[in-house]
Amino acid sequence: MEAIFIIALFSLVANPIIGMILVKVNRNRPDRQKMLARVSVGTLAFVSLALFTNVSTSSDAIDCVFLGLFYLAICVLLWLGTSKKNKVSLIFSSVLLVILFGLSCLFSTIGILGLAFIVGEFEPSRSVRINGSTLYREYGRGNATTATGGSEVSLFTSFRWFPFVERKFFSKQYISGFATTNDNKQKRFTTPENSPINNTPTFYGTHFKLTYDTTKNDLILSYQQTRDTLHLDR
């Protein structure tokens, strides 16, 4: 977690400044500015495609570096926008840069605890290889991403020729929900029948006991008296 937190904090603080330096150093070199723009657009497209297809690396730190490069590419493009003579581009880029600088200052000072909570939920609390190509990861929820506690289970598959690259093909949350009673008060519930999360029956659970059925290729998650069966081949 320490490495991810340092990378995230460095990206928030340094990337707007690095972007400014890259653009200012090459302000009299239109060819280099075009190259910066192309590299930045390519980085945005590459990382966006990976996010859209749920493809990542096997290292959370490397994934965080790619997200940092994504943020740096945005900063570079915005600084390039401020160097244009077009007033619309200048105003639009300047406003967004002010917002980004504000968020960077917020999360690197008084909001640093919130950043730590977010980073803490980005890193899995548990990682188990189910079979030769399937990896189980469990993430704690309740510090920053959800209003109530619990966990999120994700399943990843690896590629034969690129073992350091993986794709998430399943994700489900097991967190506490709320039901409204007749006296208009909120009551916490944990029964599988009532929870609307992911539009499938679920329940509160964390630190699941895992049972892998090799004959059916099913993964059974057990928590106290409840359990959920994940069909890996469907």
Side-chain angles (χ1 to χ4, degrees), residues 221-233:
L221 281 59
S222 302
Y223 177 77
Q224 295 181 355
Q225 303 300 319
T226 52
R227 71 176 191 173
D228 195 9
T229 302
L230 308 180
H231 307 286
L232 303 184
D233 57 351

Side-chain angles (χ1 to χ4, degrees), residues 62-112:
I62 294 178
D63 291 339
C64 193
V65 169
F66 277 113
L67 291 177
L69 292 175
F70 183 87
Y71 181 47
L72 176 60
I74 293 176
C75 294
V76 169
L77 290 176
L78 290 178
W79 278 114
L80 287 173
T82 61
S83 64
K84 302 299 180 182
K85 296 181 179 180
N86 187 297
K87 289 186 177 180
V88 175
S89 175
L90 175 62
I91 295 174
F92 179 76
S93 299
S94 299
V95 170
L96 288 182
L97 279 172
V98 170
I99 294 174
L100 290 181
F101 267 113
L103 291 175
S104 297
C105 292
L106 175 65
F107 280 106
S108 60
T109 53
I110 60 176
I112 195 169

